[in-house]
Structure formats: structure tokens, C-alpha cells
Amino acid sequence: EVQLVQSGAEVKKPGESLKISCKGSGYSFTSYWIGWVRQMPGKGLEWMGIIYPGDSDTRYSPSFQGQVTISADKSISTAYLQWSSLKASDTAMYYCAREGTDRYFDYWGQGTLVTVSS
Amino acid sequence: EIVLTQSPATLSLSPGERATLSCRASQSVSSYLAWYQQKPGQAPRLLIYDASNRATGIPARFSGSGSGTDFTLTISSLEPEDFAVYYCQQRSNWPLSITFGQGTRLEIK
């Protein structure tokens, strides 16, 4: 069974750093792209970026380029999303999702809620 | 960047009625369009891919159509569990870019 399990909710202060994770299981982790999607409170879905764990090829949405870093450790089948300096506007639910062979997000993690508040 | 515009923003219908949701792309995406359903407190779920193919386990009352710039998601007869938010999504390869529509909220009338 394909599963993506994300790390737990985080509460941080502005200016702090953060790295959240997404662990894949039940499939060949290195053979599928993993994307990250932001959902701000009460808002829609925004694509942030995507990584191919097999060779770490990473692409970013222009809206998020330079704002976050996406990485993966294929030895432990885990993808990451990180911030070096959080802002209050980073408060959101963040989902990871596997991009299947048909080029769409066929499996999703349960989401990680990030709250940034002073 | 390709922009996807969904309409209406909110659709109010009763169980048993037919729902028609629209997604328009700012330029042609051929048939490379998907639809997702999201219920409160849950992650999105893939319903339709490549404009008209149902994902695994999706009931036959869900259907998709369209190509180029205009797409439709139809729910033939609404069940209580279908009331949710629906998003369309496209993926273009050169350069790699993924965009979602802003969503249509399907609510019980």
C-alpha cells in the first residue's frame, strides 16, 4: 500500500528555521516525483515545487523560488521542505503528494500544519 | 504560467441533482488536466486525470470532459458525500509547471 506520512504540526516564531518531512512507503521512492502543496487557512491549493528523489532534480514554482528549499534523502525514502527564516505568512497546511505515472498527484500525505506566530 | 479559472466559485444543489463544474485554462493544456476533491480536514483526492479518465476507485457518477482550454467535471446525481471543494490542475513540461484552479465549493442547498 502506497503511503506518504508527514511529520507533525509545528509552532514557530518569525525568523526561525524549519524542516518538515514526508516519508514514502509501499512503492519505489526513487521512481516518482514528490511535490509540495501549500494551503493557507480557508484558501485553495498552491503548488510550491517538486523533486525527483532518484537524482534530486528539483523544480520550483516562481512564487516559491528562493523562499523554500526542497530536498530528499533516498536512503530513507523521505522528502523535505525547509525554511531558513519563517514569516507569519508561512502559516498554512503543507501537503506532500506523489506524482504518479499519469503526471498527476495520485497519493497525498496527511498534511503538516505550520503555525508561525510571535 | 498557465492560469486555471474555475466557475462557479460556489454551487448550491440538492442531493440527487446533477452538478456541472467548469475549468478554463489561459492557454491550451491539450488533455493534461486533472480534478481533485477535498473535504474539510482532509487531503485532496484525485478524481479524474487526463481530462476524462476516472482514477482508481472513483464512482461512475463522476465524469470529466473537454480539451484545449475548456473542461467540465460532471457529477450525475449528487450523493451527500459529494459536497466538498473541487479543484482542477494542469501540469506542463517545458518548463515544468503545475497550477491549480482556485476551486469550486459544492454546497448543499
Side-chain angles (χ1 to χ4, degrees), chain A residues 39 47 99 103-105, chain B residues 32-33 36 38 50 91 98:
Chain A
Q39 188 166 39
W47 174 65
E99 191 179 65
R103 299 175 310 280
Y104 304 101
F105 294 126
Chain B
Y32 301 137
L33 188 106
Y36 299 84
Q38 187 179 32
D50 284 345
R91 187 217 210 256
I98 294 169

Side-chain angles (χ1 to χ4, degrees), chain A:
Chain A
E1 176 194 10
V2 174
Q3 282 193 309
L4 296 173
V5 178
Q6 297 185 229
S7 49
E10 301 274 2
V11 179
K12 292 289 191 178
K13 290 181 166 40
E16 292 186 331
S17 63
L18 176 64
K19 191 174 189 177
I20 63 174
S21 66
C22 169
K23 183 173 176 60
S25 63
Y27 73 101
S28 175
F29 185 74
T30 55
S31 300
Y32 293 83
W33 293 83
I34 291 281
W36 286 94
V37 176
R38 182 176 80 174
Q39 188 166 39
M40 299 178 76
K43 302 299 183 182
L45 305 173
E46 301 174 89
W47 174 65
M48 302 176 72
I50 197 164
I51 187 166
Y52 190 75
D55 62 4
S56 293
D57 185 4
T58 307
R59 315 292 175 86
Y60 292 92
S61 162
S63 299
F64 292 93
Q65 179 84 48
Q67 307 305 307
V68 297
T69 301
I70 293 170
S71 60
D73 184 341
K74 59 186 180 183
S75 70
I76 54 172
S77 301
T78 301
Y80 301 97
L81 176 66
Q82 68 181 88
W83 296 259
S84 58
S85 181
L86 287 159
K87 302 183 283 287
S89 57
D90 292 318
T91 295
M93 181 71 80
Y94 293 88
Y95 293 102
C96 65
R98 188 188 83 160
E99 191 179 65
T101 53
D102 296 305
R103 299 175 310 280
Y104 304 101
F105 294 126
D106 56 357
Y107 289 92
W108 293 68
Q110 82 276 19
T112 296
L113 180 62
V114 174
T115 303
V116 184
S117 174
S118 55

